[in-house]
Amino acid sequence: MRLGKLDLIFARRFMKKLFLVLLFIAFSVSTCGWPEAATIYYMRADGAAANVGAATGPCSTIDSTMNLTIHNAGTFSPGDTIVNCGDTIGGIVRGSLIVPFGGSAGLPVSYTCASAPCTISGALIQTAGNWTETAPPGSNIWTTADLVQPYEVWFDGIKGTLVANAGAVDSDKDWFWELNVLTIWSVGNPATTYVTPGVEVSYYDEPLKIDTKSFITIDGLILERGNTRGILFGGGAASNVTIKNSTIRYTANPAGDAVRLATNTGGDHLFESNTIHNNMGFGINVAASHATSGHENIFRSNTIYNIGKDGITLNGSYAIAESNTVYNCGQILTSGDGIHLYDSGNTAEGDYNIIRYNEVYNIASTAVTEGHGIAGDVYTDHNQIYYNIIHGNQGGCVHLYKSTDINAYNNTCYGNVQNASHSIPGEISLYDDAGAPADRTANINVKNNAVYATAAGAYAIYIPALVTDNAGISFNTNNWYKASGNWYFNGVGGNNLATWNALSYIGTDLNADPLFISASDFHLQSASTLINAGMDVGLVRDYLGNPKSGTAWDIGAYEFQQDKGGLTPSMGMSP
């Protein structure tokens, strides 16, 4: 078919326009920069190069992978991924992974796991040439130079016993460190007696450090045996760091933290679906961070247990702690709270936080003022505490001390104040004392809470006389219950509902057995008077994500469901 004259003219014009479009695109790429293809890097303990791994079996050879030293000195671009080859393939990576470059919005620098488990350990293994047996031979006392004071030593994965001095090292797995010398007891040369993996000494401060870097994702790593911390967000204006599906464990220093957001760390961080356990200090410790409204730091669906001090400490502001399970805190040291709001001294810290949908239990304390499920400490203001389930703790369920502008709604409290000597024996307590600042526990709204006190000396609600005349104290549609004895304290103990409801700061509270399913299942039975007995406080879902199911909201953390099924929790919904 021959083209006519008009067809040829049209074709020429089309080709000219196409050429100009392609020329414009080429100019834009050269001047503005087209995003480079993301690169995948592979890491082994014995890696030797920073090259991209082969398409088949990228973790299988040393030369196609990088080690930790090469990584820390490396250059990465937005969208790049660093894959840990895994303990079985590449060995446990030992040292401190220091993130050298961040990503950008939509293109984070990501750290993932090729074959679980993928461990980064802050502990070193002491090898054969390091050990010397003290005279006489057969003493079983061995020493090695160790320039960093370790807080823990493990023998084939079993935690050793720190003794008072080198002379007290006289039993299997005893150890002591002083003046850069580590002394241990071992029946033979420790390097051959312990081989799986050996004598591990906590050495590096933290196995993961993210210092001023933004747009980072950590997914599926095990971070263990840091000498001071598990993860350190080192401050600066870093934002948009996501840590998920990871395990942080065996942090050695009692003064340290499994996870620490240092002072001035920014917002939009997400810490989700992680497991934190067996750490000597705090679980999650948020310092005076610079998060802001709309850019909150979120701690969601984490399991936190066997922690020396607090499970979660919020010294910073604008955090959301939701759907976490926190238990066995304060177990290793002398005291702790499950979730602790804290201000170091009237510095606008510990404010504007939301604590919701968490379960907190078995929090211990030998200190008679601590061991609470949730505690709001002095100067922590403008916080929301709602739809939490809190039970079986040494201290109270929710404790507020010199805090202002707090809403405590729809929490379920059962069997707390297990420490018979506790000085604040209330399931829910609004506390103040004569110390400065005086009369600061004020503007507290307590509504729709289901509270069952079981301990002999405990009250369902505890308000000392110093608080009862403070401004803005408001109670309504709570259910306070104790099977026998006084269930409230407002300067004096009492158990008469009419007397309680006649107080100026009380609306219409209830005093009835809530009829929980059991002592461990706090759903309501169908005959419970708490069903449809609450008030609308502006929330739209219960602990499980269920909306209002009857003519009014129920009291407590669960909306009654005829089949007790409920919805699967859906985070990110309106409160």
Side-chain angles (χ1 to χ4, degrees), residues 234-314:
S239 65
N240 292 277
V241 173
T242 295
I243 299 179
K244 59 184 180 180
N245 306 317
S246 295
T247 297
I248 302 93
R249 62 188 185 187
Y250 309 142
T251 302
N253 192 339
D257 324 282
V259 179
R260 179 173 178 80
L261 274 68
T263 300
N264 299 330
T265 302
D268 291 311
H269 298 306
L270 174 62
F271 199 80
E272 183 173 31
S273 301
N274 302 288
T275 300
I276 303 173
H277 68 92
N278 291 89
N279 295 284
M280 288 293 291
F282 295 98
I284 297 173
N285 188 357
V286 181
S289 62
H290 281 185
T292 57
S293 179
H295 299 278
E296 289 83 358
N297 292 322
I298 299 176
F299 304 90
R300 175 188 296 155
S301 301
N302 302 291
T303 301
I304 304 170
Y305 64 96
N306 291 356
I307 303 297
K309 295 181 180 178
D310 300 335
I312 301 175
T313 291
L314 298 178

Side-chain angles (χ1 to χ4, degrees), residues 339-500:
I339 302 175
H340 184 195
L341 297 161
Y342 177 71
D343 186 317
S344 58
N346 196 18
T347 54
E349 301 164 354
D351 299 341
Y352 298 101
N353 297 294
I354 298 174
I355 315 299
R356 62 188 182 190
Y357 318 134
N358 303 284
E359 183 179 13
V360 185
Y361 62 96
N362 201 27
I363 307 301
S365 175
T366 56
V368 296
T369 57
E370 300 187 43
H372 305 289
I374 299 174
D377 221 329
V378 61
Y379 295 118
T380 56
D381 304 330
H382 313 291
N383 294 303
Q384 312 289 319
I385 303 170
Y386 56 84
Y387 281 111
N388 300 284
I389 297 175
I390 306 167
H391 56 100
N393 299 298
Q394 292 288 299
C397 172
V398 176
H399 169 66
L400 302 174
Y401 172 59
K402 295 183 184 292
S403 297
T404 299
D405 296 316
I406 308 294
N407 293 330
Y409 298 153
N410 287 92
N411 299 288
T412 291
C413 308
Y414 180 86
N416 297 289
V417 198
Q418 292 296 310
N419 183 348
S421 301
H422 207 283
S423 63
I424 309 167
E427 287 276 347
I428 293 182
S429 59
L430 279 58
Y431 192 72
D432 213 327
D433 54 31
D439 298 328
R440 202 179 184 285
T441 305
N443 299 324
I444 311 292
N445 296 302
V446 182
K447 300 175 181 178
N448 291 356
N449 297 285
V451 183
Y452 192 144
T454 62
Y459 299 93
I461 176 64
Y462 185 91
I463 312 174
L466 280 171
V467 177
T468 57
D469 62 350
N470 287 1
I473 303 298
S474 177
F475 288 70
N476 208 355
T477 58
N478 302 285
N479 186 79
W480 314 105
Y481 184 70
K482 187 176 182 180
S484 62
N486 292 333
W487 53 264
Y488 70 80
F489 181 91
N490 66 329
V492 294
N495 59 14
N496 185 279
L497 180 62
T499 302
W500 173 259

